[in-house]
Amino acid sequence: MSLRGAALAAAIVLATACGHGEPQAKASAAAQRGGTLVVGAITDADAWNEYVSQQTTAINLLRRIYLRLAQEQGDTKDHPPSFAPLLASSWSFSPDGLTLTMKLGSHAWSDGAPVTARDVRYTWTAQTSPDVAWTGVSSKERIKDVHVVDDTTIAFVFDRAYPEMLADAIEGGIVPEHVFGKVPFKEWRTYDWSTVRIGSGPFLLSSWTPGEEIALARNPGYADGKLPYVDAVVVRIVPDIGNLETQLLAKTVDLIDGVPAADAKRLAASPGVTLVPYDNPMFDYIGWNGTKPPFDDPAVRRALTLAIDRQAIVDDLLFGYGRVSAGPLLSSWWPADATLSPWPYDPREAIRILAAKGYGPGHPLEVELMSNAGNRTREAVAVKIQEQLAKVGVQVTPRTLEMRALREASAAGKYDAYLGGWRFSGKLDLKGIFGSASRPPGGNNVVAYASRETDRLIEALGTAPDWRTAKAAYAGVARQLHDDQPYTFLYEAKRLVAVGPRARDVVVDVPADPLARLERIWIAR
Amino acid sequence: MTRAARLGTAVIGIWVAVAVAAPVLPLTDPAVQPDGVALRTLPPLTHAWEVRLPDGTIRYANEVRREGTGPIAARRGETWSDLPAEAQVRKRLFVLGTDLFGRDLLSRLVWGARSSLLAGGLAAAVALLLGTTIGLAAGLAGGVTDRVLMRITDGALAVPRLFLLVLLAALYRPSLPLAVLTIGATSWMVAARLVRGEVLTLSGRPFVHAARSAGATPVRIALLHVLPAIGTLVAVEASLRFGQSVLLEGSLSFLGLGVPPPTPTWGGLIAEGRDRLLDAWWIATLPGIALAGVVVATQWIADGVRGDIVIRPREERP
Amino acid sequence: MAAVLLASAVLTLTFVLVEAAPGSAADLIPAERPLPPEARARLEAAYGLDRPPLARYGTWLSCAVRGDLGWSISRGRPVAVVLAGALPATLLLSGLALLVQIGLGVALGTLHVVRPRGPFDHAAGVLGLSLASIPTFWLALMAILALSYRLPLFPPSSSRSIGADAWPLAARALDTLWHAALPATVLGLGAAAALARYVRAGLLRALGEEFVRAARARGVPPSRLVTRHALRATLPPVVTLAGVSLPALVSGSLVVEVVFGWPGMGRLAYDAVVARDLPVVLATVLVATVVVVAGSLAADLGLAWADPRARGAVSEPA
């Protein structure tokens, strides 16, 4: 399949997919070429290598410089997402389902050298190297080996078949062996990658003034000669969101990812400014300490969930940009069970259950609710929960801690409850969060939830060979967690992109990647 | 005391009284968010309506219309809805407006005074205690002790204070005791120098000689004879130090490194208002005026007690 | 020299404090990603953070002496490079603030004196007092609100406009000055107020001198008396005195840089502290201390040379 054919197919898939964000109305007249797109960001990049960086600013931009083999599309709701070809033009699975063979299209690095299968294998060795210590390495867990079949064919060998094989294989941008290979893995974390000016994507890094500005320039060697439309992208770093918003209104900034929901109304009311909400693969929750009575009693946890009006939180504190969460399966995602609704808001039932457990006006249940400092929304949520639980006679004391202190307290089991969130890229690690083997110290099952039934269901999930079986297993786990309520699942908040009048065709439909279509944005002059 | 000094004392006195009395004053709980939609960012001196329903719950509305004996139409944000006719409607005035989450700014300002003034006062006390002790020790002991202590004082003066404060507050858990300790531990130097200077001057006086020859220990001399004599000086420095400590605490809270939320502080309020300068300027402006007012008042008091001007170009600004 | 001792003492103290606080580069990983525990351990090992603190301090010290200040985890570059990028920005800002301080301070002080105890004196006194009491970060926010948002006269952040790299040198210099105008003025204002008081005292003193009285007897008009004669006498110690406050300006620039997004050392220090980037934190404290010590040294020397009498006047009350 030629690249153009693949792109056309991808476009059709896109057009028919029920994406997340509302499609942007300012659809093209003919796209104009040229101009500089100015993006506003609050945090600076920390390193120009995807396997070393921890900052989303850098990672989102690096994805436009070092392309991956394929791109996940936004149709994640009914089935696992489809993939559009990027560096790879086609792929197929072996009959036993354990080997994924991908054929590369004719792409070249910006210095002229072709993108080969050796680059792909080299990238895999970097991803799995303990010296590089990439934090996303768990996506490569099931890949036993990656071998070069020929210059343009690469084979990924897995030890097991499971629904997310393709997603795991393509995770992480492909880097050029002939450039990156000059730096030994041991030195990757202490190397100044901003001096490396190569790429396979639509953009190249052209300059970086730390703390102030990042400039990307069009990559003349990019496979699709028509893209990107703009000549350059400048990322303006200003640590003050209000400042950035003013610059958006003054038209010196064209796009900001992550404007607070509180500012949405004011921004949307300004002429020419559009707001694009998109689904964030993240849910927020209250974690109840499963080692401390009475929070170890599922009935008490259920009562507490019933007593919290989560819809009011979404309406008042997220200003409507979000939805109540029914469980860890994100509602925009195929594993989600549409028949499972969150517990309703029923304070009367909550009072009844608590009374049956011995809590009442004379003997109130006391909860110290921790949250991390610096997150204003969470602080406000804590206060709202305090008010709501007061109505059923539960006394809540909100307490803000530094993230590190919060982690320590929760790892040590010294808390009643805390407000937290989990964000996912790709797979949902239910075992790491709810498995009894992942309890503290060390694991992410901070609330020390242990249920043999849940463990069994998660194991069954782990061996599901295809997505339909997996979906049924996911539904089982979700229902179990719904009944046990180790967390009170609060909400899934949306993120917002604010777009100024100059920028057109801003489309945000790839999960967790707001700049995925950066090359298609154009400036109206 | 000059007129300005009296005015200054009055201002400080009022703020302290208000801060102490905060729990019993008829103010709303500063942390409560009664209605994030109806009460959001109301400008100062605006009204909202409090509707008490027959079942006891309270709703808020921006506008209320009652037609005859029919149901009450209430507007909450953009949406109108009907409430039962038996509901009681009460007008509420928000003198200083509300913030992003609908919290009354006046109440937050008063409660913020509590934290900020307490932190500033305690820090100043620590600074003064340390400084006076060191100054007394240096002045009375003389010789090597004096030289060593003064070298340490000079060295401490050279440390970039705000950098150190930010460092300490960010690394350890930000809290009231930490803020008090760190500000106090970096603000004692001027007091030490002043006290030492005065002690040296007084050492020549007859009454100290007399006490010495009568066999009084240095500590006794310090406490019974010297301390009362330098009282005015210490009072002046205390006033100035109080103002500066409140300012420093404000800076720390502004950076998110002071007394942690949900306790409101003036610096914290200004930080909250930082993102809303365009549409809700009062959230950042009013606490700043309060903060500046307190510092000006302390300056007036100091000037009044002292009677003349002091040159302090070495003083670091928070 | 005492300065070197001081610098190393500050450094060791900083290192100890930073080490004693829990936390590491692994904290950079966003908290909401459910990472397997081994990932965190591998990250720390990759940065050599699993070695004992003493070993790390030893390595750092031996490298620092040779000019290698370590690696910045949050900036992906050598610390020395990061500092070299940030220091000039802070020096520029402090230098401009110094000019503002001297200019405004002298003007204000002179205003005081032109008509002693008249309306000017009083107004100037009130203005000076207010300026010295206003919290710098709040003043910064108000300046942005008034002169950047409401009246778009100055840019609200950063040190240059987009694409300014391509402009000719003169245009670039003007652009940087335009961006620095607001932060430098805010930084210098408070210090200007303190300086104004000293200028006033110095001028009043000079006006009482022989040669000035002689000039007055000759019939020289009062304004010329002040500007020509008294000012000339007072200026040298004033300038050197302002130099004394350069260290204070460097330290105070922290908050101004954070509010204005100015890419200097203050902002670097704050960002590094938040990101737990230990090498950068150590380096900024070191450099800030060096600047402060050097500045004080230079100012003291200058002061002693310019006016031997004024040497004592700096640290004691008038």
Side-chain angles (χ1 to χ4, degrees), chain A residues 240 262-263 380 383 387 400 404, chain B residues 31 33 40 171 261 274 276:
Chain A
D240 183 343
D263 301 341
V383 172
E387 287 163 35
T400 323
R404 185 188 3 102
Chain B
Q33 309 153 39
R40 243 186 99 190
L171 291 176
R274 178 183 174 184
R276 319 226 57 85

Side-chain angles (χ1 to χ4, degrees), chain B:
Chain B
M1 290 235 275
T2 65
R3 196 175 51 185
R6 276 203 289 271
L7 187 57
T9 322
V11 168
I12 302 281
I14 293 175
W15 271 118
V16 169
V18 161
V20 166
V24 299
L25 289 176
L27 296 168
T28 44
D29 187 335
V32 152
Q33 309 153 39
D35 190 329
V37 173
L39 300 180
R40 243 186 99 190
T41 55
L42 296 175
L45 297 175
T46 36
H47 298 277
W49 271 260
E50 196 180 272
V51 182
R52 188 177 292 269
L53 298 179
D55 65 358
T57 52
I58 298 182
R59 293 275 157 80
Y60 288 89
N62 297 108
E63 212 183 311
V64 169
R65 262 188 242 143
R66 191 197 282 270
E67 272 125 44
T69 52
I72 304 170
R75 177 173 68 85
R76 184 172 170 262
E78 305 287 303
T79 44
W80 285 90
S81 58
D82 283 336
L83 298 172
E86 310 81 44
Q88 292 169 328
V89 175
R90 195 165 67 109
K91 206 176 192 183
R92 270 197 64 185
L93 174 67
F94 290 96
V95 180
L96 295 182
T98 59
D99 71 359
L100 184 58
F101 295 113
R103 296 177 290 202
D104 178 19
L105 199 61
L106 176 64
S107 146
R108 301 207 90 211
L109 200 62
V110 166
W111 282 85
R114 220 170 143 79
S115 330
S116 300
L117 293 180
L118 183 65
L122 286 177
V126 168
L128 234 72
L129 201 63
L130 261 176
T132 315
T133 315
I134 293 180
L136 277 175
L140 287 174
V144 175
T145 322
D146 180 19
R147 266 210 298 275
V148 166
L149 283 175
M150 281 303 106
R151 275 275 168 271
I152 294 178
T153 311
D154 284 339
L157 270 172
V159 168
R161 178 164 59 183
L162 201 54
F163 277 69
L164 197 60
L165 286 180
V166 163
L167 173 67
L168 289 173
L171 291 176
Y172 296 89
R173 212 167 295 191
S175 64
L176 181 63
L178 183 72
V180 166
L181 261 163
T182 49
I183 298 177
T186 49
S187 309
W188 54 267
M189 293 80 78
V190 176
R193 273 215 179 155
L194 287 177
V195 168
R196 172 188 174 269
E198 272 302 293
V199 168
L200 286 180
T201 320
L202 287 174
S203 284
R205 297 272 175 82
F207 74 99
V208 177
H209 272 295
R212 268 222 178 94
S213 32
T217 64
V219 177
R220 226 179 130 74
I221 300 178
L223 290 177
L224 288 180
H225 300 278
V226 177
L227 217 44
I230 62 174
T232 318
L233 192 72
V234 172
V236 165
E237 174 62 15
S239 180
L240 287 174
R241 202 47 44 202
F242 177 53
Q244 292 296 302
S245 300
V246 172
L247 262 185
L248 270 175
E249 197 283 329
S251 300
L252 281 182
S253 307
F254 176 74
L255 293 174
L257 304 170
V259 181
T263 327
T265 57
W266 283 345
L269 286 178
I270 299 176
E272 279 172 34
R274 178 183 174 184
D275 292 335
R276 319 226 57 85
L277 279 182
L278 278 179
D279 61 341
W281 52 267
W282 54 93
I283 305 176
T285 313
L286 299 176
I289 295 177
L291 199 51
V294 164
V295 180
V296 168
T298 59
Q299 299 261 25
W300 278 338
I301 295 175
D303 278 353
V305 171
R306 187 176 40 207
D308 51 7
I309 51 176
V310 154
I311 303 132
R312 289 174 183 273
R314 234 190 235 275
E315 185 68 72
E316 269 185 31
R317 301 218 57 245

Side-chain angles (χ1 to χ4, degrees), chain A residues 116-131:
Chain A
T116 67
R118 258 183 301 280
D119 290 326
V120 179
R121 184 185 155 79
Y122 172 73
T123 305
W124 175 69
T125 56
Q127 290 166 342
T128 49
S129 156
D131 293 327

Side-chain angles (χ1 to χ4, degrees), chain C residues 145-298:
Chain C
L145 175 63
L147 299 170
S148 205
Y149 289 169
R150 296 238 183 262
L151 296 170
L153 294 173
F154 293 96
S157 74
S158 311
S159 68
R160 39 207 261 288
S161 309
I162 297 179
D165 280 339
W167 298 352
L169 184 61
R172 252 187 297 158
L174 270 173
D175 181 53
T176 306
L177 275 177
W178 182 52
H179 278 82
L182 222 47
T185 312
V186 165
L187 195 52
L189 266 183
L195 194 67
R197 299 183 112 184
Y198 183 70
V199 168
R200 178 179 183 265
L203 278 178
L204 285 177
R205 199 176 353 187
L207 283 174
E209 293 288 317
E210 272 288 340
F211 72 99
V212 175
R213 274 190 272 143
R216 181 178 286 156
R218 271 184 286 135
V220 176
S223 49
R224 270 187 85 199
L225 258 168
V226 173
T227 50
R228 263 284 212 81
H229 304 272
L231 214 51
R232 223 184 309 171
T234 328
L235 230 34
V238 161
V239 173
T240 40
L241 218 52
V244 166
S245 46
L246 183 62
L249 285 177
V250 168
S251 181
S253 70
L254 193 147
V255 205
V256 169
E257 285 182 16
V258 169
V259 175
F260 279 98
W262 185 264
M265 273 202 351
R267 175 149 160 238
L268 181 65
Y270 180 64
D271 287 345
V273 151
V274 167
R276 302 283 181 281
D277 197 346
L278 172 61
V280 175
V281 166
L282 283 178
T284 32
V285 173
L286 172 63
V287 173
T289 311
V290 164
V291 168
V292 165
V293 168
S296 304
L297 227 59

Side-chain angles (χ1 to χ4, degrees), chain A residues 38 44-47 52 54 127-131 133-138 189-194 208-213 234 236-240 242-243 246-247 252 282 378 402-404 407-408 421-424 429 433 442-444, chain C residues 21-40 42-43 46-47 71-78 81 141 144 148-149 156-165 179 257-261 263 267 271 276:
Chain A
V38 181
D44 194 3
D46 57 340
V52 163
Q54 304 292 344
Q127 290 166 342
T128 49
S129 156
D131 293 327
W134 183 42
T135 50
V137 68
S138 57
R189 288 208 168 261
T190 51
Y191 186 77
D192 185 358
W193 293 101
S194 65
W208 180 35
T209 317
E212 283 209 280
E213 203 173 274
V234 166
R236 193 117 243 252
I237 297 150
V238 179
D240 183 343
N243 209 311
T246 313
Q247 298 195 36
T252 49
M282 179 168 157
R378 278 215 188 123
E402 267 241 284
M403 178 50 78
R404 185 188 3 102
R407 259 195 227 146
E408 280 163 20
W422 285 123
R423 185 188 357 227
F424 304 98
D429 184 15
I433 303 177
N444 288 310
Chain C
S24 67
D27 290 328
L28 277 179
I29 306 173
E32 283 118 16
R33 283 186 58 190
L35 290 178
E38 314 86 61
R40 222 171 276 280
R42 270 170 41 146
L43 199 58
Y47 281 119
W71 183 264
S72 164
I73 297 170
S74 65
R75 296 278 174 130
R77 280 180 163 180
V81 170
L141 284 180
I144 296 180
S148 205
Y149 289 169
S157 74
S158 311
S159 68
R160 39 207 261 288
S161 309
I162 297 179
D165 280 339
H179 278 82
E257 285 182 16
V258 169
V259 175
F260 279 98
R267 175 149 160 238
D271 287 345
R276 302 283 181 281

Side-chain angles (χ1 to χ4, degrees), chain C residues 84-113:
Chain C
L87 188 57
T90 296
L91 289 178
L92 175 66
L93 197 65
S94 307
L96 286 175
L98 191 63
L99 288 177
V100 166
Q101 179 192 11
I102 294 177
L104 220 62
V106 168
L108 219 55
T110 316
L111 221 60
H112 263 295
V113 169

